[in-house]
Amino acid sequence: MEPDVLEVLFLSQDSLSDNSRRLVQTSDNRTQSVYLSDHVRVDTSNQLDTDEDCKQSYSACDTQLHANSDQHPFACKVCDGKFAKDSQLKTHMIIHMEERPFSCDVCDKRFMWSCHLKTHMRIHTGEKPFSCEVCDKKFAWASNLRTHMRTHNGEQPFSCQVCDKKFTDSSTLRNHMHIHAGEKPFSCEVCDKKFTQSGSLRTHMRIHRGERPFSCEVCDKKFTQSSTLRTHMHTHKGERSFTCNFCDKKFRQSSGLRRHVHIHTGV
């Protein structure tokens, strides 16, 4: 293959005849016919983020070759993955051999497939090719855009089996489960305080760094958390959103309510 020909996703080399050819787009936007037997390797591991990411990495990606066959007689004995061709199974087995020949020049992270390396490079280049049509927010990966769209359409497909709370993505659900399990896997390196969620640790670190990114537009008082700012705004608006369950007295802040409840409970 000529050096300036972009790699294209095709079936693995041993499944192609020597005279199989395909038109591909070169780096200078020319079209060139190449022997498919010269193509490097195929991603049958299903580890590409999405077909959209593949299209971003490969200008001549043949999406038909990503479609699953109705019949998958070749099964992986390690992970039960099934494939339509024996050659695809052989290529898939590279995953289990942990061969990672493609290395990032910036951080030395290694990948099994060149397409994974190309999508990884977006972290270093800041490239964000996927845009939200609603708010124009941009994302490096198509999967992140899909997750973001749930904030607009209200979808919360991931449910906690303990309390039925719903989430837009699986990672937030996993973090939530730490609450029920009593786990606090995120530790502060300064004071060793532990947290159930990584976001709580990040917020806590602002205390040590002296960061107060949330400012009151009325009195310029600054806060480490947006929730604390929202509570503070009650003092300017005269709102009393916190009500005592014993006597219905109302308070501007939850701390004032807690102090008041001691009168009723003696605790």
Side-chain angles (χ1 to χ4, degrees):
M1 184 183 296
E2 295 294 326
D4 63 341
V5 176
L6 298 179
E7 290 181 302
V8 189
L9 289 179
F10 290 110
L11 296 179
S12 59
Q13 179 173 320
D14 55 356
S15 69
L16 302 168
S17 60
D18 291 339
N19 60 355
S20 296
R21 301 179 72 90
R22 181 65 62 96
L23 293 177
V24 299
Q25 185 179 352
T26 63
S27 57
D28 58 357
N29 292 323
R30 293 182 293 106
T31 300
Q32 179 171 327
S33 178
V34 298
Y35 284 107
L36 298 190
S37 56
D38 290 334
H39 178 62
V40 284
R41 64 169 78 225
V42 142
D43 185 6
T44 55
S45 65
N46 295 324
Q47 292 189 4
L48 270 179
D49 194 8
T50 61
D51 215 31
E52 288 90 343
D53 280 330
C54 175
K55 289 175 186 175
Q56 287 295 125
S57 297
Y58 301 96
S59 59
C61 175
D62 186 348
T63 57
Q64 290 182 349
L65 293 177
H66 291 274
N68 290 326
S69 171
D70 292 335
Q71 296 181 347
H72 298 77
F74 300 95
C76 174
K77 295 181 180 179
V78 180
C79 69
D80 294 328
K82 298 183 184 300
F83 303 89
K85 295 177 179 290
D86 178 56
S87 58
Q88 291 175 320
L89 173 59
K90 290 178 181 177
T91 306
H92 162 79
M93 291 306 296
I94 295 173
I95 298 172
H96 302 300
M97 291 186 288
E98 298 184 355
E99 179 184 344
R100 296 176 180 268
F102 300 98
S103 177
C104 174
D105 293 334
V106 180
C107 66
D108 293 328
K109 189 172 183 178
R110 304 187 70 84
F111 301 88
M112 285 177 284
W113 313 105
S114 60
C115 54
H116 294 171
L117 172 59
K118 290 185 178 181
T119 55
H120 162 79
M121 290 305 298
R122 294 173 191 162
I123 297 174
H124 303 300
T125 63
E127 180 188 1
K128 295 184 177 182
F130 302 99
S131 300
C132 174
E133 296 180 352
V134 180
C135 66
D136 292 330
K137 191 172 183 179
K138 298 181 182 298
F139 301 88
W141 295 280
S143 60
N144 290 351
L145 172 59
R146 283 197 306 274
T147 298
H148 165 78
M149 290 306 298
R150 293 171 185 152
T151 62
H152 296 299
N153 58 34
E155 290 182 7
Q156 293 184 313
F158 302 95
S159 300
C160 173
Q161 296 181 353
V162 180
C163 67
D164 291 330
K165 191 172 183 180
K166 298 181 183 297
F167 303 90
T168 57
D169 60 273
S170 58
S171 60
T172 307
L173 172 58
R174 284 195 299 271
N175 284 337
H176 166 78
M177 293 306 297
H178 294 316
I179 297 173
H180 298 299
E183 298 173 354
K184 295 188 175 182
F186 304 100
S187 300
C188 174
E189 295 180 353
V190 180
C191 67
D192 292 330
K193 189 172 183 179
K194 298 181 183 298
F195 301 88
T196 57
Q197 299 184 4
S198 58
S200 299
L201 173 59
R202 287 195 297 271
T203 299
H204 167 78
M205 291 305 298
R206 293 172 186 156
I207 298 173
H208 299 299
R209 292 193 294 260
E211 295 177 1
R212 294 176 178 265
F214 302 99
S215 300
C216 174
E217 295 179 352
V218 180
C219 67
D220 291 330
K221 191 172 183 179
K222 298 180 183 296
F223 304 89
T224 58
Q225 301 181 60
S226 59
S227 59
T228 309
L229 171 59
R230 286 195 299 270
T231 300
H232 165 78
M233 292 305 297
H234 296 319
T235 61
H236 297 298
K237 297 177 181 178
E239 296 176 355
R240 296 176 180 267
S241 304
F242 303 94
T243 304
C244 175
N245 292 329
F246 296 96
C247 66
D248 293 331
K249 188 173 182 179
K250 297 181 182 296
F251 299 86
R252 292 190 181 95
Q253 297 185 356
S254 59
S255 58
L257 172 60
R258 285 195 299 270
R259 288 192 298 268
H260 166 79
V261 168
H262 293 324
I263 299 174
H264 299 291
T265 62
V267 178

